[in-house]
PDB file of all heavy atoms in Angstrom:
ATOM      1  N   ASP A  84       3.558 -14.621   2.186  1.00  0.00           N
ATOM      2  CA  ASP A  84       3.466 -15.939   2.824  1.00  0.00           C
ATOM      3  C   ASP A  84       2.776 -15.897   4.186  1.00  0.00           C
ATOM      4  O   ASP A  84       2.679 -16.906   4.870  1.00  0.00           O
ATOM      5  CB  ASP A  84       4.855 -16.574   2.959  1.00  0.00           C
ATOM      6  CG  ASP A  84       5.807 -15.748   3.818  1.00  0.00           C
ATOM      7  OD1 ASP A  84       5.356 -14.777   4.460  1.00  0.00           O
ATOM      8  OD2 ASP A  84       7.012 -16.087   3.847  1.00  0.00           O
ATOM      9  N   GLY A  85       2.292 -14.706   4.597  1.00  0.00           N
ATOM     10  CA  GLY A  85       1.546 -14.589   5.840  1.00  0.00           C
ATOM     11  C   GLY A  85       2.355 -14.134   7.037  1.00  0.00           C
ATOM     12  O   GLY A  85       1.789 -13.775   8.070  1.00  0.00           O
ATOM     13  N   ARG A  86       3.660 -14.132   6.927  1.00  0.00           N
ATOM     14  CA  ARG A  86       4.475 -13.670   8.050  1.00  0.00           C
ATOM     15  C   ARG A  86       4.328 -12.164   8.230  1.00  0.00           C
ATOM     16  O   ARG A  86       4.144 -11.429   7.259  1.00  0.00           O
ATOM     17  CB  ARG A  86       5.946 -14.035   7.837  1.00  0.00           C
ATOM     18  CG  ARG A  86       6.232 -15.529   7.941  1.00  0.00           C
ATOM     19  CD  ARG A  86       7.719 -15.806   7.770  1.00  0.00           C
ATOM     20  NE  ARG A  86       8.181 -15.399   6.444  1.00  0.00           N
ATOM     21  CZ  ARG A  86       9.460 -15.255   6.121  1.00  0.00           C
ATOM     22  NH1 ARG A  86      10.404 -15.442   7.036  1.00  0.00           N
ATOM     23  NH2 ARG A  86       9.792 -14.917   4.896  1.00  0.00           N
ATOM     24  N   VAL A  87       4.441 -11.719   9.475  1.00  0.00           N
ATOM     25  CA  VAL A  87       4.341 -10.294   9.791  1.00  0.00           C
ATOM     26  C   VAL A  87       5.588  -9.885  10.575  1.00  0.00           C
ATOM     27  O   VAL A  87       5.906 -10.466  11.616  1.00  0.00           O
ATOM     28  CB  VAL A  87       3.075  -9.981  10.613  1.00  0.00           C
ATOM     29  CG1 VAL A  87       3.047  -8.501  11.006  1.00  0.00           C
ATOM     30  CG2 VAL A  87       1.824 -10.338   9.818  1.00  0.00           C
ATOM     31  N   PHE A  88       6.281  -8.879  10.058  1.00  0.00           N
ATOM     32  CA  PHE A  88       7.438  -8.299  10.730  1.00  0.00           C
ATOM     33  C   PHE A  88       7.086  -6.865  11.108  1.00  0.00           C
ATOM     34  O   PHE A  88       6.157  -6.272  10.546  1.00  0.00           O
ATOM     35  CB  PHE A  88       8.659  -8.297   9.809  1.00  0.00           C
ATOM     36  CG  PHE A  88       9.128  -9.664   9.394  1.00  0.00           C
ATOM     37  CD1 PHE A  88       8.552 -10.312   8.303  1.00  0.00           C
ATOM     38  CD2 PHE A  88      10.142 -10.313  10.084  1.00  0.00           C
ATOM     39  CE1 PHE A  88       8.979 -11.571   7.907  1.00  0.00           C
ATOM     40  CE2 PHE A  88      10.578 -11.572   9.699  1.00  0.00           C
ATOM     41  CZ  PHE A  88       9.994 -12.207   8.611  1.00  0.00           C
ATOM     42  N   SER A  89       7.833  -6.297  12.048  1.00  0.00           N
ATOM     43  CA  SER A  89       7.554  -4.909  12.409  1.00  0.00           C
ATOM     44  C   SER A  89       8.795  -4.231  12.962  1.00  0.00           C
ATOM     45  O   SER A  89       9.744  -4.883  13.416  1.00  0.00           O
ATOM     46  CB  SER A  89       6.409  -4.827  13.410  1.00  0.00           C
ATOM     47  OG  SER A  89       6.704  -5.529  14.595  1.00  0.00           O
ATOM     48  N   VAL A  90       8.759  -2.901  12.911  1.00  0.00           N
ATOM     49  CA  VAL A  90       9.809  -2.064  13.467  1.00  0.00           C
ATOM     50  C   VAL A  90       9.162  -1.090  14.434  1.00  0.00           C
ATOM     51  O   VAL A  90       8.173  -0.423  14.099  1.00  0.00           O
ATOM     52  CB  VAL A  90      10.552  -1.279  12.372  1.00  0.00           C
ATOM     53  CG1 VAL A  90      11.552  -0.301  12.995  1.00  0.00           C
ATOM     54  CG2 VAL A  90      11.276  -2.228  11.424  1.00  0.00           C
ATOM     55  N   THR A  91       9.709  -1.012  15.645  1.00  0.00           N
ATOM     56  CA  THR A  91       9.233  -0.054  16.631  1.00  0.00           C
ATOM     57  C   THR A  91      10.433   0.418  17.445  1.00  0.00           C
ATOM     58  O   THR A  91      11.576   0.029  17.178  1.00  0.00           O
ATOM     59  CB  THR A  91       8.141  -0.661  17.527  1.00  0.00           C
ATOM     60  OG1 THR A  91       7.596   0.356  18.382  1.00  0.00           O
ATOM     61  CG2 THR A  91       8.678  -1.792  18.373  1.00  0.00           C
ATOM     62  N   TRP A  92      10.191   1.261  18.426  1.00  0.00           N
ATOM     63  CA  TRP A  92      11.245   1.815  19.261  1.00  0.00           C
ATOM     64  C   TRP A  92      11.099   1.302  20.685  1.00  0.00           C
ATOM     65  O   TRP A  92      10.038   0.861  21.097  1.00  0.00           O
ATOM     66  CB  TRP A  92      11.176   3.346  19.260  1.00  0.00           C
ATOM     67  CG  TRP A  92       9.822   3.872  19.646  1.00  0.00           C
ATOM     68  CD1 TRP A  92       8.809   4.211  18.787  1.00  0.00           C
ATOM     69  CD2 TRP A  92       9.304   4.085  20.963  1.00  0.00           C
ATOM     70  NE1 TRP A  92       7.701   4.622  19.488  1.00  0.00           N
ATOM     71  CE2 TRP A  92       7.979   4.563  20.825  1.00  0.00           C
ATOM     72  CE3 TRP A  92       9.831   3.920  22.247  1.00  0.00           C
ATOM     73  CZ2 TRP A  92       7.182   4.863  21.935  1.00  0.00           C
ATOM     74  CZ3 TRP A  92       9.030   4.228  23.350  1.00  0.00           C
ATOM     75  CH2 TRP A  92       7.727   4.704  23.176  1.00  0.00           C
ATOM     76  N   GLN A  93      12.171   1.429  21.415  1.00  0.00           N
ATOM     77  CA  GLN A  93      12.113   1.093  22.831  1.00  0.00           C
ATOM     78  C   GLN A  93      13.212   1.838  23.571  1.00  0.00           C
ATOM     79  O   GLN A  93      14.317   2.023  23.039  1.00  0.00           O
ATOM     80  CB  GLN A  93      12.290  -0.399  23.066  1.00  0.00           C
ATOM     81  CG  GLN A  93      12.047  -0.816  24.514  1.00  0.00           C
ATOM     82  CD  GLN A  93      12.364  -2.273  24.737  1.00  0.00           C
ATOM     83  OE1 GLN A  93      13.482  -2.694  24.528  1.00  0.00           O
ATOM     84  NE2 GLN A  93      11.379  -3.037  25.156  1.00  0.00           N
ATOM     85  N   SER A  94      12.897   2.282  24.768  1.00  0.00           N
ATOM     86  CA  SER A  94      13.880   2.949  25.617  1.00  0.00           C
ATOM     87  C   SER A  94      14.058   2.147  26.910  1.00  0.00           C
ATOM     88  O   SER A  94      13.426   2.450  27.918  1.00  0.00           O
ATOM     89  CB  SER A  94      13.428   4.379  25.937  1.00  0.00           C
ATOM     90  OG  SER A  94      13.319   5.142  24.752  1.00  0.00           O
ATOM     91  N   PRO A  95      14.877   1.102  26.884  1.00  0.00           N
ATOM     92  CA  PRO A  95      15.123   0.344  28.115  1.00  0.00           C
ATOM     93  C   PRO A  95      16.064   1.137  29.009  1.00  0.00           C
ATOM     94  O   PRO A  95      17.259   1.149  28.792  1.00  0.00           O
ATOM     95  CB  PRO A  95      15.768  -0.945  27.605  1.00  0.00           C
ATOM     96  CG  PRO A  95      16.420  -0.548  26.314  1.00  0.00           C
ATOM     97  CD  PRO A  95      15.628   0.603  25.747  1.00  0.00           C
ATOM     98  N   GLY A  96      15.529   1.820  30.002  1.00  0.00           N
ATOM     99  CA  GLY A  96      16.332   2.761  30.762  1.00  0.00           C
ATOM    100  C   GLY A  96      16.477   4.038  29.953  1.00  0.00           C
ATOM    101  O   GLY A  96      15.506   4.549  29.398  1.00  0.00           O
ATOM    102  N   TRP A  97      17.671   4.553  29.814  1.00  0.00           N
ATOM    103  CA  TRP A  97      17.853   5.790  29.055  1.00  0.00           C
ATOM    104  C   TRP A  97      18.536   5.559  27.713  1.00  0.00           C
ATOM    105  O   TRP A  97      18.904   6.490  27.024  1.00  0.00           O
ATOM    106  CB  TRP A  97      18.652   6.798  29.881  1.00  0.00           C
ATOM    107  CG  TRP A  97      20.056   6.370  30.179  1.00  0.00           C
ATOM    108  CD1 TRP A  97      20.447   5.415  31.073  1.00  0.00           C
ATOM    109  CD2 TRP A  97      21.249   6.875  29.591  1.00  0.00           C
ATOM    110  NE1 TRP A  97      21.812   5.295  31.077  1.00  0.00           N
ATOM    111  CE2 TRP A  97      22.333   6.181  30.194  1.00  0.00           C
ATOM    112  CE3 TRP A  97      21.516   7.835  28.627  1.00  0.00           C
ATOM    113  CZ2 TRP A  97      23.653   6.418  29.838  1.00  0.00           C
ATOM    114  CZ3 TRP A  97      22.837   8.082  28.286  1.00  0.00           C
ATOM    115  CH2 TRP A  97      23.895   7.387  28.883  1.00  0.00           C
ATOM    116  N   ILE A  98      18.711   4.297  27.326  1.00  0.00           N
ATOM    117  CA  ILE A  98      19.335   3.969  26.047  1.00  0.00           C
ATOM    118  C   ILE A  98      18.258   3.512  25.078  1.00  0.00           C
ATOM    119  O   ILE A  98      17.708   2.428  25.203  1.00  0.00           O
ATOM    120  CB  ILE A  98      20.398   2.866  26.215  1.00  0.00           C
ATOM    121  CG1 ILE A  98      21.434   3.278  27.260  1.00  0.00           C
ATOM    122  CG2 ILE A  98      21.074   2.582  24.882  1.00  0.00           C
ATOM    123  CD1 ILE A  98      22.382   2.181  27.639  1.00  0.00           C
ATOM    124  N   GLU A  99      17.935   4.359  24.107  1.00  0.00           N
ATOM    125  CA  GLU A  99      16.868   4.005  23.176  1.00  0.00           C
ATOM    126  C   GLU A  99      17.423   3.240  21.981  1.00  0.00           C
ATOM    127  O   GLU A  99      18.624   3.206  21.745  1.00  0.00           O
ATOM    128  CB  GLU A  99      16.144   5.259  22.681  1.00  0.00           C
ATOM    129  CG  GLU A  99      16.993   6.186  21.840  1.00  0.00           C
ATOM    130  CD  GLU A  99      17.586   7.338  22.642  1.00  0.00           C
ATOM    131  OE1 GLU A  99      17.601   7.281  23.874  1.00  0.00           O
ATOM    132  OE2 GLU A  99      18.047   8.297  22.000  1.00  0.00           O
ATOM    133  N   GLY A 100      16.535   2.638  21.214  1.00  0.00           N
ATOM    134  CA  GLY A 100      16.943   1.928  20.016  1.00  0.00           C
ATOM    135  C   GLY A 100      15.732   1.418  19.261  1.00  0.00           C
ATOM    136  O   GLY A 100      14.596   1.498  19.733  1.00  0.00           O
ATOM    137  N   LEU A 101      15.970   0.916  18.066  1.00  0.00           N
ATOM    138  CA  LEU A 101      14.920   0.318  17.250  1.00  0.00           C
ATOM    139  C   LEU A 101      14.898  -1.188  17.448  1.00  0.00           C
ATOM    140  O   LEU A 101      15.925  -1.813  17.716  1.00  0.00           O
ATOM    141  CB  LEU A 101      15.149   0.631  15.768  1.00  0.00           C
ATOM    142  CG  LEU A 101      14.970   2.083  15.337  1.00  0.00           C
ATOM    143  CD1 LEU A 101      15.386   2.252  13.876  1.00  0.00           C
ATOM    144  CD2 LEU A 101      13.526   2.534  15.522  1.00  0.00           C
ATOM    145  N   ILE A 102      13.718  -1.758  17.310  1.00  0.00           N
ATOM    146  CA  ILE A 102      13.532  -3.212  17.356  1.00  0.00           C
ATOM    147  C   ILE A 102      12.969  -3.661  16.015  1.00  0.00           C
ATOM    148  O   ILE A 102      12.012  -3.082  15.512  1.00  0.00           O
ATOM    149  CB  ILE A 102      12.534  -3.623  18.452  1.00  0.00           C
ATOM    150  CG1 ILE A 102      12.895  -3.019  19.810  1.00  0.00           C
ATOM    151  CG2 ILE A 102      12.446  -5.136  18.546  1.00  0.00           C
ATOM    152  CD1 ILE A 102      11.811  -3.215  20.848  1.00  0.00           C
ATOM    153  N   PHE A 103      13.566  -4.708  15.457  1.00  0.00           N
ATOM    154  CA  PHE A 103      12.990  -5.387  14.296  1.00  0.00           C
ATOM    155  C   PHE A 103      12.677  -6.797  14.744  1.00  0.00           C
ATOM    156  O   PHE A 103      13.549  -7.519  15.211  1.00  0.00           O
ATOM    157  CB  PHE A 103      13.985  -5.411  13.135  1.00  0.00           C
ATOM    158  CG  PHE A 103      13.432  -6.087  11.905  1.00  0.00           C
ATOM    159  CD1 PHE A 103      12.835  -5.342  10.905  1.00  0.00           C
ATOM    160  CD2 PHE A 103      13.498  -7.466  11.763  1.00  0.00           C
ATOM    161  CE1 PHE A 103      12.313  -5.967   9.775  1.00  0.00           C
ATOM    162  CE2 PHE A 103      12.976  -8.094  10.647  1.00  0.00           C
ATOM    163  CZ  PHE A 103      12.384  -7.334   9.657  1.00  0.00           C
TER     164      PHE A 103
END
Side-chain angles (χ1 to χ4, degrees):
D84 61 10
R86 290 182 298 165
V87 176
F88 297 85
S89 60
V90 174
T91 186
W92 54 266
Q93 188 186 60
S94 298
W97 65 286
I98 305 171
E99 66 263 16
L101 291 174
I102 308 170
F103 181 95

